[in-house]
Amino acid sequence: MTRVSRDFGDTMQKEAVPAVSADVIFASSRFPNYKIGANNQIIDAKEDPKVLTMKEVVARETALLLEQQKRLSVRDLASKFEKGLAAAAKLSEEARLREAASLEKHVLLKKLRDALESLKGRVAGRNKDDVDDAIAMVEALAVQLTQREGELIQEKAEVKKLANFLKQASEDAKRLVDEERAFARAEIEDARAAVQRVEEALQEQEQMSRASGKQDLEELMKEVQEARRIKMLHQPSKVMDMEHELRALRIQLAEKSKHSILLQKELVRSKRVEESLSHVYELDGAETLGSYLRIKPCSDIAPELSKCSIQWYRISSEGGKKEPISGASKSVYAPEPFDVGRILQAEINFSGQQIILSTAGAIDPAPGLGNYVEALVRKHDVEFNVVVTQMNGADHPSESIHVLHVGKMRMKLCKGKTTIAKEYYSTSMQLCGVRGGGNAAAQALFWQAKKGFSVVLAFESERERNAAIMLARRFAFDCNIMLAGPDDRASLGT
């Protein structure tokens, strides 16, 4: 069976058609369009250039944009070139280390060959043959090492060439990035200029419309005055009475308008003062038990807090009355367990002006503190490590560790085996968080064991401080004692 080749028709055409000379000049660069008519006559077809529709143009532009989106950006190319350059540098370093290692191998082989040569002169017989074999093996190793060095030199040259190529490509990519950035900045500036021109045109158009409206109003007023004059000629008495009434109304209207303008200016001025004052200070800090709130100035015109009088208040979340917190007159206040579920508010007075700052919502409880206190309630006596920072209102210089005992019937403060204070729960005892201070206010509490003796204790953490307050109030409540801070008993009773 004979296989028919695909090239059979092509070879026949090549043999049948003679070659065309290179000097032949064709009238057109494309193959002409013909039509075969009757009797196999060739008729020239009229050219009908195809005009693309708008839909085709949009589809074509969309395809081009998608193709451009699939390409890597110039920045990606630059990063890839930089990675390649780093890899080439690493390969160059490895080649340098290999070259140093091969140099050490050459030195070792030379020393070994010298040692074998010196040994060869000292031995004879079979040992001398073994030494010759060893020298031959060393020479073979030297030849292999030389060949390996040649390969390493060739690899080093290739790596160096690759590093130079990548370095040049990285520089080109960086240059392209800079050019694209400059082009983008120029386009942004052009867009800004165009926007500014549009805004100027809009302002000019608005001014022209205002001028035309004012001119129409003046023409209308002239027509009204002319109509009044004609009406006055027909009915002089009525028109005169109406004219006097209109004049009186105009006077009253002018006075009212002046008064309203003054009121509007005063209202705008008062609003600006309120807005400026409301943005002078702000409360900073988490609104939760265990943190602290700080009054922070947020404007350059804010007066110094040392020159202002500050008072903190607590307000019930149901919108109850405002209760002042006795002693809370500093720029920092750490919420205590009694503040949980209430809104805190700070009033700042200076130069006869008042600013009121409030928390966004009620103070949230500390997570897990309730379960921790319930676990401590089961114990008869709970100990807390504390440091006495103040005693009877004076700073305490010693920073030694004390132990605060919170029991079911009494509280006790000890230093080692020495008891500093031991008192049963009573109406004269006061306990609350420190009202003021710095960042450590959330870790300190105020304890008045009895009249004439009070201390400020600093705990190891905010959790320990809040747990001690809650635990002592729980045990005091079991003894029918309301344990609170200064001037807090009335609010606790309610």
Side-chain angles (χ1 to χ4, degrees):
M1 182 181 291
T2 305
R3 179 179 295 177
V4 180
S5 175
R6 279 185 194 170
D7 301 335
F8 178 74
D10 296 339
T11 54
M12 290 295 295
Q13 291 177 2
K14 289 179 182 178
E15 292 175 0
V17 180
V20 181
S21 175
D23 298 333
V24 176
I25 299 175
F26 293 98
S28 177
S29 61
R30 63 183 178 81
F31 197 82
N33 296 327
Y34 295 105
K35 288 185 179 180
I36 300 176
N39 298 325
N40 293 329
Q41 292 182 358
I42 298 174
I43 303 172
D44 293 337
K46 295 181 179 180
E47 295 185 356
D48 187 11
K50 185 178 180 182
V51 179
L52 295 176
T53 62
M54 183 59 67
K55 186 175 181 181
E56 294 175 347
V57 171
V58 171
R60 182 180 178 185
E61 293 295 332
T62 304
L64 290 175
L65 289 175
L66 290 175
E67 184 179 359
Q68 291 178 1
Q69 186 180 5
K70 291 179 181 177
R71 297 177 183 172
L72 286 174
S73 63
V74 179
R75 191 182 302 274
D76 294 337
L77 289 176
S79 63
K80 287 183 179 295
F81 281 127
E82 289 178 356
K83 291 180 181 178
L85 185 61
K90 186 176 180 181
L91 290 175
S92 178
E93 182 67 20
E94 292 178 356
R96 187 180 64 79
L97 294 175
R98 290 178 183 175
E99 184 178 359
S102 64
L103 183 61
E104 293 178 358
K105 291 178 182 178
H106 267 295
V107 174
L108 291 174
L109 288 176
K110 187 175 183 304
K111 289 182 179 180
L112 180 61
R113 190 176 185 284
D114 294 341
L116 291 174
E117 286 291 342
S118 63
L119 184 64
K120 181 180 178 181
R122 298 176 187 176
V123 298
R126 185 174 179 181
N127 293 330
K128 187 173 183 180
D129 295 337
D130 294 338
V131 171
D132 291 336
D133 294 339
I135 291 172
M137 291 174 64
V138 170
E139 290 178 351
L141 288 174
V143 171
Q144 292 179 1
L145 186 60
T146 304
Q147 292 177 357
R148 181 59 180 167
E149 284 180 355
E151 294 176 357
L152 288 175
I153 290 171
Q154 186 176 0
E155 289 180 0
K156 183 178 179 182
E158 292 178 356
V159 169
K160 188 174 181 181
K161 188 185 298 182
L162 178 61
N164 293 331
F165 174 74
L166 291 174
K167 184 177 181 181
Q168 183 65 31
S170 178
E171 292 176 356
D172 294 341
K174 290 180 179 178
R175 180 175 54 80
L176 288 175
V177 169
D178 294 336
E179 291 178 357
E180 291 293 333
R181 188 180 289 112
F183 181 68
R185 288 176 179 172
E187 287 186 348
I188 291 171
E189 292 297 331
D190 294 340
R192 286 178 179 172
V195 170
Q196 187 174 2
R197 287 195 298 271
V198 171
E199 289 180 353
E200 291 176 355
L202 289 174
Q203 290 178 0
E204 185 178 357
Q205 185 178 2
E206 186 177 358
Q207 292 176 359
M208 291 176 63
S209 63
R210 287 179 180 175
S212 62
K214 188 175 181 181
Q215 186 177 1
D216 295 340
L217 182 60
E218 290 177 355
E219 292 179 355
L220 182 60
M221 290 176 65
K222 288 180 180 180
E223 292 179 359
V224 170
Q225 290 177 0
E226 184 66 21
R228 285 178 180 176
R229 189 182 63 81
I230 294 171
K231 191 174 182 180
M232 190 190 303
L233 293 175
H234 293 284
Q235 295 179 355
S237 59
K238 291 182 179 181
V239 172
M240 289 298 292
D241 295 338
M242 292 176 65
E243 192 70 24
H244 288 300
E245 291 179 3
L246 287 174
R247 191 174 298 169
L249 289 174
R250 284 176 183 172
I251 294 171
Q252 293 179 5
L253 183 61
E255 292 177 356
K256 295 290 184 182
S257 63
K258 288 180 181 179
H259 186 62
S260 67
I261 289 172
L262 291 175
L263 289 177
Q264 287 179 0
K265 289 182 179 179
E266 187 67 24
L267 182 61
V268 171
R269 193 181 298 111
S270 63
K271 285 183 178 179
R272 288 179 180 174
V273 171
E274 290 177 359
E275 290 177 358
S276 62
L277 290 177
S278 62
H279 292 86
V280 170
Y281 299 101
E282 66 177 1
L283 285 179
D284 185 26
E287 298 175 1
T288 181
L289 184 63
S291 62
Y292 63 91
L293 299 174
R294 181 189 295 274
I295 300 174
K296 185 178 70 174
C298 56
S299 175
D300 295 333
I301 63 173
E304 295 181 4
L305 290 173
S306 59
K307 299 179 181 179
C308 304
S309 63
I310 302 171
Q311 179 60 50
W312 291 83
Y313 297 85
R314 59 170 67 97
I315 305 171
S316 62
S317 57
E318 293 81 12
K321 66 177 182 178
K322 187 165 58 176
E323 302 166 1
I325 303 174
S326 178
S329 58
K330 304 292 184 182
S331 61
V332 176
Y333 178 75
E336 64 166 279
F338 185 52
D339 297 322
V340 173
R342 303 191 179 193
I343 297 173
L344 295 179
Q345 190 178 90
E347 283 187 3
I348 306 170
N349 297 303
F350 63 93
S351 301
Q353 297 178 351
Q354 187 182 70
I355 299 175
I356 298 176
L357 303 176
S358 300
T359 56
I363 300 299
D364 296 326
L369 181 61
N371 296 331
Y372 179 58
V373 172
E374 290 297 329
L376 296 178
V377 167
R378 301 187 183 96
K379 299 180 180 180
H380 182 74
D381 184 81
V382 182
E383 298 179 358
F384 298 93
N385 294 327
V386 296
V387 175
V388 179
T389 59
Q390 287 185 5
M391 184 175 291
N392 293 329
D395 293 336
H396 196 265
S398 177
E399 295 184 357
S400 57
I401 302 298
H402 294 65
V403 178
L404 177 66
H405 297 265
V406 180
K408 292 184 177 295
M409 301 294 294
R410 66 185 179 182
M411 292 180 65
K412 182 173 65 172
L413 180 64
C414 300
K415 180 183 178 182
K417 297 182 178 179
T418 305
T419 301
I420 298 175
K422 181 174 68 172
E423 292 294 327
Y424 289 89
Y425 297 116
S426 63
T427 56
S428 61
M429 183 180 291
Q430 294 180 358
L431 182 70
C432 64
V434 170
R435 296 170 178 178
N439 300 342
Q443 294 178 305
L445 62 77
F446 169 80
W447 179 42
Q448 179 181 310
K450 58 183 179 180
K451 290 183 179 181
F453 181 82
S454 63
V455 290
V456 174
L457 305 177
F459 287 73
E460 294 178 350
S461 64
E462 296 86 358
R463 185 184 184 188
E464 297 288 328
R465 173 253 203 182
N466 295 321
I469 294 174
M470 295 176 67
L471 192 63
R473 288 177 178 171
R474 177 78 171 269
F475 290 155
F477 183 77
D478 294 338
C479 298
N480 295 324
I481 300 296
M482 305 299 289
L483 192 59
D487 301 330
D488 285 347
R489 299 192 184 277
S491 56
L492 271 175
T494 57

